[in-house]
Amino acid sequence: MNRRVWLRAGLGLLAGGQVVLGLWILLLPELFWKWPWVSHLPPYNEHLLRDFGGASLALAVVLCAAVATMERRLVLTSLVAYLVSSVAHLLFHARHLEPLSAGSAAGFMALLGAAVLLPAVLVWLAADGTAVRAPGPAERRPARRRSTP
């Protein structure tokens, strides 16, 4: 498979994960809260959970747009946005592992680490530009002209 196929598949995986996560949290926040890696940090806050679900769906929209267009700026922007979220998530939970067993903490950190590693690899795939398309002439901004006094 070529870089473009891998990049599109990876973006699709990230987008699909955000859709599932966002819908789960938005529609069933209590069920999400019962997940052991979540509920060890009380108190339950339905408002914050539903907001997080909505934000996950918003990120999914941007990732889906990147999958559909494969336009370089959109692909890179969506991946960097995902990375900002996943790195912040990893750093927070890395400091709050005390209530978890060693095995559960290791599994959780592996999952959160993969959520950082995958988009980082996808940024690398997209960075050279061969796997994505450049904006067409209609999408490019005209060059700014300097005005002379």
Side-chain angles (χ1 to χ4, degrees):
M1 290 200 310
N2 66 28
R3 292 171 82 98
R4 184 178 180 85
V5 172
W6 282 109
L7 181 58
R8 180 170 263 150
L11 283 164
L13 180 66
L14 295 177
Q18 289 300 297
V19 168
V20 170
L21 180 67
L23 288 174
W24 180 15
I25 298 169
L26 194 61
L27 301 175
L28 302 165
E30 301 88 4
L31 185 61
F32 179 77
W33 179 255
K34 290 179 183 176
W35 190 254
W37 291 338
V38 177
S39 62
H40 78 274
L41 295 170
Y44 172 79
N45 186 319
E46 181 181 357
H47 176 204
L48 287 178
L49 283 173
R50 288 188 191 262
D51 284 354
F52 177 59
S56 294
L57 288 174
L59 181 54
V61 168
V62 176
L63 288 163
C64 286
V67 170
T69 66
M70 292 301 287
E71 194 276 314
R72 187 170 191 254
R73 287 178 295 192
L74 183 55
V75 166
L76 289 171
T77 300
S78 68
L79 289 170
V80 170
Y82 190 97
L83 271 169
V84 167
S85 175
S86 61
V87 167
H89 194 200
L90 172 73
L91 292 175
F92 176 83
H93 283 291
R95 294 188 330 259
H96 298 90
L97 294 173
E98 310 80 43
L100 301 175
S101 69
S104 184
F108 192 34
M109 287 294 98
L111 179 66
L112 294 178
V116 171
L117 183 61
L118 176 58
V121 168
L122 296 176
V123 166
W124 174 76
L125 284 174
D128 77 353
T130 60
V132 291
R133 69 176 189 80
E139 297 166 306
R140 290 191 191 117
R141 288 184 180 188
R144 285 187 159 187
R145 293 184 182 203
R146 290 185 138 172
S147 60
T148 54

